[in-house]
Amino acid sequence: MFRNQYDTDVTTWSPAGRLFQVEYAMEAVKQGSAAIGLRSKTHVVLACVNKANSELSSHQKKIFKVDDHIGVAIAGLTADGRVLSRYMRSECINYSFTYESPLPVGRLVVQLADKAQVCTQRSWKRPFGVGLLVGGLDESGAHLYYNCPSGNYFEYQAFAIGSRSQAAKTYLERKFESFMGSSRDDLIKDALFAIKETLQGEKLKSSICTVAVLGVGEPFHILDQETVQQLINEHEIVEEEAPAEQEAAAAADQDAPPADEAPPADQGAAPMDI
Amino acid sequence: MASDMGASYGSTLRYKSVERMKPIGKHSLLGASGEISDLQEILRYLDELILYDNMWDDGNSLGPKEVHSYLTRVMYNRRNKFNPLWNSLVLGGVKNGEKYLGTVSMIGVHFEDNHVATGFGNHLARPILRDEWKEDLSYEDGVKLLEKCMRVLLYRDRSAVNKIQIAKITEEGVSISKPYSLRTFWEFTAFRNPTVGAEGSW
């Protein structure tokens, strides 16, 4: 696109009133692997796709516990994400120490957004290249926020970021109206389905995704692989065994699940799509 | 919470109409003993704290527990710098139905309890409260109990002044009563001729 003239510095406006460096930073978020979040009145679920570079290496950590009542899932430059997570943890622990009370998540995201904004207005800095899905509690219940590299933040009922997140967003757009009253387990199920949408044909296994939950009375924790695989099996097998029944039920839950297409001849032996 | 309205300057009963209890935000009440100028400084700190809290305008608010913890940090940090705020503070409040009562001393010692007191109140009032406090005291009975404690303090603490206020904190908010005096009795026969049996007296 013809925008090379005004994109050298973050402190240079384009004639159309845009800061290209900031937009490029948001592009970096879109390149990262998917992360999704959804919330009900009392719980927030964060999930992400964890693809390792090769079978030899370990997965990159994309979900961080910030405090017992706040967690964050990132997409984009994970190094930037780690730094921001450290900042968030620091803020939470300082607030807890002074007030012996948890920092309301709404206030944390504003501080985070202000921190990101600084980097869009200094010639010697660059914007953070990471998008953060922050889930947490405050006095009015559970909340989910999305923090942009631009310094903007929005509250969401459900959201997806990263590559192929549009597929997940489409799924979430169909179901989000029921989320507020969803049970914790239904929320997790919907999260897994949304993650599956971003895989576009690949089989959903617990080894390539991470799921974390937090809620009123439930501190933030990442579900272990076994539990996740169990949940996947619970909900996937139902489809595989009776796909016709499901469609006939007309709940319009989802389209033909991609897992059905590839006959599961070799569980786990299929090479990963990078 | 009850307090009298006296502020001394050493052994002089200098000011006799000082409000030593103040509402803090929507949910808390602060009562203080000690140096009044330091109390005024603390009120300025709390004023700023509550102001910033309100400026968030996000439905969250600092409750009595948070204010108490904040004050503890302030008092303790000043003590560590060998420049204490010379006060004993009582912080009470109600938020979301939960009642809270705590105290902080000038060296940062802090705790919560069902009844707290500062200064001579620890020696004269708390024994009474230990015996007679109950979880389900009505407001009127609570006031009577506090008046009993204040009366004892009035008789026995020479820096006490007979002009007191009672403050009430509920979910709806804080209300501090108008000042009033306690009824006292001085017509003991022993007071009539106090020195009648003493050596060297007339």
Side-chain angles (χ1 to χ4, degrees), chain A:
Chain A
M1 259 219 278
F2 172 45
R3 52 181 186 178
N4 298 0
Q5 261 193 306
Y6 306 101
D7 65 356
T8 311
D9 277 323
V10 74
T11 48
T12 306
W13 288 100
S14 82
R18 294 155 73 169
L19 290 170
F20 285 123
Q21 279 296 308
V22 176
E23 293 184 26
Y24 294 166
M26 315 240 269
E27 215 38 56
V29 176
K30 294 185 203 159
Q31 300 300 327
S33 54
I36 63 128
L38 11 53
R39 64 117 168 177
S40 70
K41 187 114 186 58
T42 53
H43 285 81
V44 183
V45 176
L46 298 170
C48 67
V49 172
N50 278 120
K51 296 258 188 79
N53 276 339
S54 77
E55 283 187 35
L56 297 171
S57 79
S58 65
H59 302 134
Q60 260 201 328
K61 194 158 170 204
K62 282 164 47 88
I63 297 190
F64 298 92
K65 173 173 174 170
V66 169
D67 202 341
D68 283 335
H69 68 296
I70 299 183
V72 62
I74 64 172
L77 264 53
T78 45
D80 284 3
R82 268 202 324 276
V83 163
L84 288 176
S85 299
R86 190 163 57 230
Y87 168 73
M88 291 164 79
R89 287 172 175 167
S90 172
E91 290 299 298
C92 277
I93 214 169
N94 285 337
Y95 187 93
S96 270
F97 173 69
T98 307
Y99 300 102
E100 280 203 43
S101 197
L103 174 59
V105 64
R107 298 190 180 187
L108 179 61
V109 295
V110 175
Q111 285 173 256
L112 198 52
D114 288 347
K115 194 170 163 67
Q117 190 279 341
V118 169
C119 297
T120 68
Q121 210 176 3
R122 305 279 184 272
S123 62
W124 62 92
K125 286 184 185 249
R126 63 158 178 83
F128 286 103
V130 63
L132 303 115
L133 280 170
V134 183
L137 303 173
D138 71 11
E139 268 184 61
S140 44
H143 298 268
L144 174 70
Y145 293 92
Y146 171 53
N147 278 73
C148 259
S150 60
N152 278 329
Y153 70 97
F154 306 94
E155 185 170 358
Y156 286 95
Q157 194 65 42
F159 200 49
I161 57 177
S163 67
R164 298 193 282 230
S165 57
Q166 188 50 54
K169 270 188 259 189
T170 312
Y171 172 80
L172 293 169
E173 273 168 25
R174 275 198 311 244
K175 311 266 333 265
F176 79 94
E177 262 148 357
S178 64
F179 286 167
M180 213 44 173
S182 269
S183 73
R184 170 197 185 273
D185 294 328
D186 279 341
L187 222 53
I188 299 178
K189 179 188 80 163
D190 280 317
L192 285 168
F193 276 130
I195 285 285
K196 194 223 283 269
E197 297 294 313
T198 68
L199 294 174
Q200 307 249 321
E202 217 185 303
K203 187 168 163 61
L204 176 64
K205 292 190 294 245
S206 67
S207 54
I208 56 168
C209 70
T210 309
V211 182
V213 190
L214 78 100
V216 177
E218 184 178 353
F220 177 92
H221 61 285
I222 298 180
L223 301 180
D224 62 83
Q225 298 285 61
E226 258 178 61
T227 316
V228 177
Q229 191 57 51
Q230 243 171 10
L231 290 163
I232 293 176
N233 297 340
E234 218 175 282
H235 299 303
E236 295 236 78
I237 287 177
V238 171
E239 290 163 41
E240 279 183 72
E241 280 179 358
E245 214 181 288
Q246 277 259 324
E247 279 163 288
D253 260 6
Q254 57 185 71
D255 318 330
D260 279 6
E261 289 163 1
D266 283 320
Q267 287 258 3
M272 290 203 281
D273 218 31
I274 295 178

Side-chain angles (χ1 to χ4, degrees), chain B residues 96-155:
Chain B
N96 295 338
E98 279 187 40
K99 299 171 287 198
Y100 188 89
L101 181 63
T103 182
V104 195
S105 79
M106 74 178 193
I107 54 170
V109 174
H110 62 286
F111 53 90
E112 298 168 52
D113 208 337
N114 294 317
H115 44 79
V116 295
T118 62
F120 267 101
N122 279 305
H123 301 105
L124 300 173
R126 290 199 77 196
I128 300 174
L129 293 167
R130 273 184 218 120
D131 280 340
E132 300 187 28
W133 177 88
K134 296 189 319 263
E135 178 77 47
D136 52 357
L137 267 178
S138 70
Y139 173 67
E140 290 72 28
D141 285 340
V143 173
K144 281 210 202 70
L145 188 52
L146 281 178
E147 282 182 350
K148 183 174 180 178
C149 296
M150 295 301 281
R151 186 170 290 112
V152 171
L153 284 161
L154 181 58
Y155 282 131

Side-chain angles (χ1 to χ4, degrees), chain B residues 20 26 28 31 48-49 62 69-70 88 108 124 136 176 187 194:
Chain B
R20 296 194 289 114
K26 287 189 298 237
S28 318
E48 194 176 313
L49 180 73
L62 294 172
S69 293
Y70 173 79
S88 295
L124 300 173
D136 52 357
I176 303 181
E187 302 312 309

